[in-house]
Amino acid sequence: MSPRSASVNEELRRRSKERLLQAAVELVGEHGFEATTLGDIADRAGSARGLVSYYFPGKRQLVQSAVHRLMHRTLEEALEREPRTEDGRERLARAIDAILGLARDRPVLMRQHMAGLLQAEGFMPCPEQRRLAELLRDTVARRGSRDVDGDYPMLRALLMGAVYAILVPGAPMPVPVLRAELFERYGLDWEMGVPPENRASGGSGDKDLSRFFATGAEPGCDPLGQSK
């Protein structure tokens, strides 16, 4: 058997990393951050435990990257769903609904994520977070902002505040109330995006996250997984 090419090795590393991201999201969502170990994540991903440390400095960085992946892929899915639109107001409505929907549908995961941002190490930039920022900046720009550098941080802060309000233990605010406040601020019609009353059950709250962390068949393998 001939040695694998550099491109095949790189693809294998990418897929291994994505499996770790998916495993981190699943386990933290099921058991919480403290109860999830790096060994648990490696086992769920079917990876060697040493690979976790190879890709990520620690558990907090891994979980932040994993949640940011889930957030930006959820946002992409919402922005590009059919019927596709270039209308900036509709796209902003979809973005708001996507982020609020994550807090509503995945409270354990998002609560752990928000708590992590308040830890000593705080916010840690990563490629997944940068992609999320790009999507939100683009949404602000398409709505017609004349000051994207000022309006994007405000949108980010308002969304983070709304997510926090949804997740406060013992005193959560209802999603429709927060949605109405954000829609009014940005001049959006209630019927835009996905109004709560029109949301189909089993949507973004599905347990299957594979579409956000798709890895496909291993390179060099046929559909049955046999090496070529």
Side-chain angles (χ1 to χ4, degrees), residues 12-124:
L12 287 170
R13 286 192 290 269
R14 182 188 68 80
R15 294 180 178 185
S16 177
K17 185 176 180 180
E18 291 192 346
R19 285 194 294 269
L20 290 170
L21 292 171
Q22 180 176 346
V25 162
E26 291 174 347
L27 287 168
V28 173
E30 293 167 10
H31 307 296
F33 181 82
E34 296 299 333
T36 298
T37 69
L38 289 176
D40 294 333
I41 294 171
D43 290 344
R44 174 70 66 91
S47 300
R49 299 191 183 192
L51 281 179
V52 182
S53 299
Y54 176 79
Y55 292 123
F56 302 97
K59 184 170 68 168
R60 183 69 66 186
Q61 290 88 342
L62 167 55
V63 172
Q64 273 201 32
S65 292
V67 176
H68 283 136
R69 160 63 70 89
L70 178 62
M71 292 177 74
H72 85 65
R73 291 294 297 273
T74 298
L75 184 54
E76 284 176 332
E77 185 175 84
L79 292 174
E80 301 306 323
R81 67 173 171 80
E82 297 295 341
R84 298 186 66 178
T85 180
E86 297 300 320
D87 181 83
R89 294 173 68 241
E90 170 63 22
R91 291 178 72 86
L92 179 56
R94 292 183 183 190
I96 291 171
D97 283 337
I99 300 302
L100 297 187
L102 279 172
R104 174 195 57 220
D105 297 332
R106 307 191 188 281
V108 174
L109 178 66
M110 295 303 292
R111 189 177 294 119
Q112 297 292 314
H113 177 62
M114 295 297 288
L117 297 178
L118 299 176
Q119 297 296 313
E121 60 269 31
F123 173 76
M124 292 167 283

Side-chain angles (χ1 to χ4, degrees), residues 112-225:
Q112 297 292 314
H113 177 62
M114 295 297 288
L117 297 178
L118 299 176
Q119 297 296 313
E121 60 269 31
F123 173 76
M124 292 167 283
C126 65
E128 309 295 347
Q129 181 276 327
R130 286 192 286 273
R131 179 56 182 156
L132 176 62
E134 288 170 2
L135 290 168
L136 288 175
R137 286 179 64 89
D138 179 70
T139 300
V140 169
R142 292 196 192 205
R143 181 177 171 269
S145 170
R146 297 181 180 179
D147 179 19
V148 175
D149 289 338
D151 291 339
Y152 156 67
M154 179 57 69
L155 174 62
R156 181 183 63 193
L158 290 170
L159 289 174
M160 289 180 68
V163 168
Y164 178 83
I166 293 168
L167 299 174
V168 174
M173 288 193 67
V175 171
V177 172
L178 293 163
R179 183 183 193 268
E181 185 70 21
L182 288 168
F183 272 42
E184 181 178 359
R185 178 185 179 89
Y186 287 105
L188 307 176
D189 300 330
W190 183 261
E191 294 75 20
M192 291 179 165
V194 184
E197 61 269 22
N198 294 345
R199 177 178 176 270
S201 61
S204 60
D206 289 344
K207 293 183 178 180
D208 183 5
L209 300 175
S210 60
R211 71 185 186 279
F212 300 118
F213 301 90
T215 56
E218 295 292 345
C221 295
D222 66 22
L224 296 178

